[in-house]
Structure formats: C-alpha cells, structure tokens
Amino acid sequence: MKLLLVSMAVLAVAVYGLEINACHPCPQFWHLFNGNCYRYFGERVTWEAARGRCRDHYSLNGRADLVSIHTEQENAFAYDLFRSSASITSEAAGPTFYGAWIGAYQTTSGSTAPFIWTDGSGLDFEQWLTGEPSNAGNNEGCVHLWRRNAGDDILQGWNDNVCERDAPFICKVVPN
C-alpha cells in the first residue's frame, strides 16, 4: 500500500509538475515578507537592465519584477535588504553612490508625468526625500532607495534619478 501511495505521489509530480515546498515558499536566496518574496542584487546596472534581470526570475505563481512598495513596513523591509547587503562603493566617474533601484518610474522619460510601479499600480505609498522627485536636468525618470552615507540607516527615502545610471537593485515575486 505504501508503495502505491509513493508511486501516485511521484506520478503526480511528474505529470503536473507539482512542487512541494511548504517550508520554503520563495525561490532559493529570496526572503519572504508579508506574502511576497524579495531579493537584493548587488550587480550595478541601469534601471532597465535591472528590470530585465528581475524578470529573468520566476516562482510557480509569477514572474519577478523590480520591487513595488505599497506600505511603510514594506519600504523599511526593502531598505533593510539594501542596507544589510549593499557594499558602499565609489564610482570611477563620480561621487560615492548609495542607491538601489526600485520599481517606480515615469512612463515617458524626462516628463512631469506621475510615477507608477512596474506592476502597473500607482504610488499608493510614497517615501520621497525632501525636495524629490526633482527631475533634475529634466532627465530623472526612475526611482531608487537612497542613503546619504554608510551611516544613514533611518531615512529610507526615495530619489528620482537618471535611468541610465548603474546601481544595484531589489526584485519582488509572489511566492510558490
């Protein structure tokens, strides 16, 4: 009888592609928070490349994208992922940059259009730094979490920036 039950379970997995992963609903190296899975990537790429890297990852229930942030708690969690994982590095062509791309962007670059999330929703929660979004040079259409320096761990603010700037990023996906 046990052999029959085991055979049926193996057959179900083979036929339906079921994955029994109740203890670890997130893909490997991802962190579960409030029903979603998150991962910080330290690779420094443009906003568009970061989005592409996120979309290369899947769970059984969906495709990852740059993180959308809808609550103060989610913002603090994403910031803590960035803060605890990020190495603060200097860029050869400019000052030290303390940022990580998130999924807010303007659909028309260089405009004054509202920002939206990569999941298509509007910004129902915002954590802009004072004076932001500024659209400096009429060329800041993408958003990143920002730290003033390595000791700045309480601000958790957002800044609009040039989408072509290289920065690490945070992805989000629904769990298995």
Side-chain angles (χ1 to χ4, degrees), residues 145-168:
L145 286 170
W146 191 67
R147 295 169 72 187
R148 293 189 195 287
N149 56 53
D152 183 13
D153 288 335
I154 58 173
L155 198 50
Q156 304 171 5
W158 306 349
N159 177 48
D160 58 335
N161 208 324
V162 177
C163 300
E164 290 75 28
R165 184 169 198 163
D166 289 339

Side-chain angles (χ1 to χ4, degrees), residues 105-114 141:
Y105 72 105
Q106 289 178 310
T107 56
T108 306
S109 181
S111 74
T112 57

Side-chain angles (χ1 to χ4, degrees), residues 12 19 33 37-38 53 68 73 83 86 113 128 141 147 150 152 156-158 164 173:
E19 181 176 308
F33 177 77
C37 302
Y38 302 79
R53 301 283 199 297
S68 58
Q73 294 78 16
R83 181 191 58 78
W128 295 106
R147 295 169 72 187
D152 183 13
Q156 304 171 5
W158 306 349
E164 290 75 28
V173 69

Side-chain angles (χ1 to χ4, degrees), residues 84-142:
S84 64
S85 301
S87 59
I88 306 302
T89 58
S90 176
E91 292 185 359
T96 303
F97 182 67
Y98 302 90
W101 291 126
I102 60 176
Y105 72 105
Q106 289 178 310
T107 56
T108 306
S109 181
S111 74
T112 57
F115 286 86
I116 64 168
W117 291 113
T118 52
D119 66 10
S121 63
L123 271 61
D124 52 355
F125 169 80
E126 298 180 18
Q127 190 67 38
W128 295 106
L129 295 165
T130 303
E132 300 298 339
S134 64
N135 196 23
N138 200 31
N139 193 29
E140 295 185 329
C142 297

Side-chain angles (χ1 to χ4, degrees), residues 12-86:
V13 169
V15 171
Y16 297 106
L18 298 177
E19 181 176 308
I20 301 169
N21 196 6
C23 294
H24 303 286
C26 293
Q28 188 174 14
F29 306 118
W30 292 64
H31 303 278
L32 183 65
F33 177 77
N34 278 355
N36 289 296
C37 302
Y38 302 79
R39 185 171 174 189
Y40 170 84
F41 290 86
E43 176 185 11
R44 299 172 66 82
V45 296
T46 66
W47 187 92
E48 192 65 42
R51 186 172 191 199
R53 301 283 199 297
C54 287
R55 294 176 64 80
D56 286 341
H57 296 274
Y58 296 85
S59 71
L60 293 177
N61 294 319
R63 186 178 197 175
D65 211 328
L66 282 170
V67 63
S68 58
I69 299 173
H70 299 282
T71 66
E72 185 174 346
Q73 294 78 16
E74 188 174 26
N75 189 68
F77 178 80
Y79 184 84
D80 193 50
L81 265 181
F82 159 55
R83 181 191 58 78
S84 64
S85 301

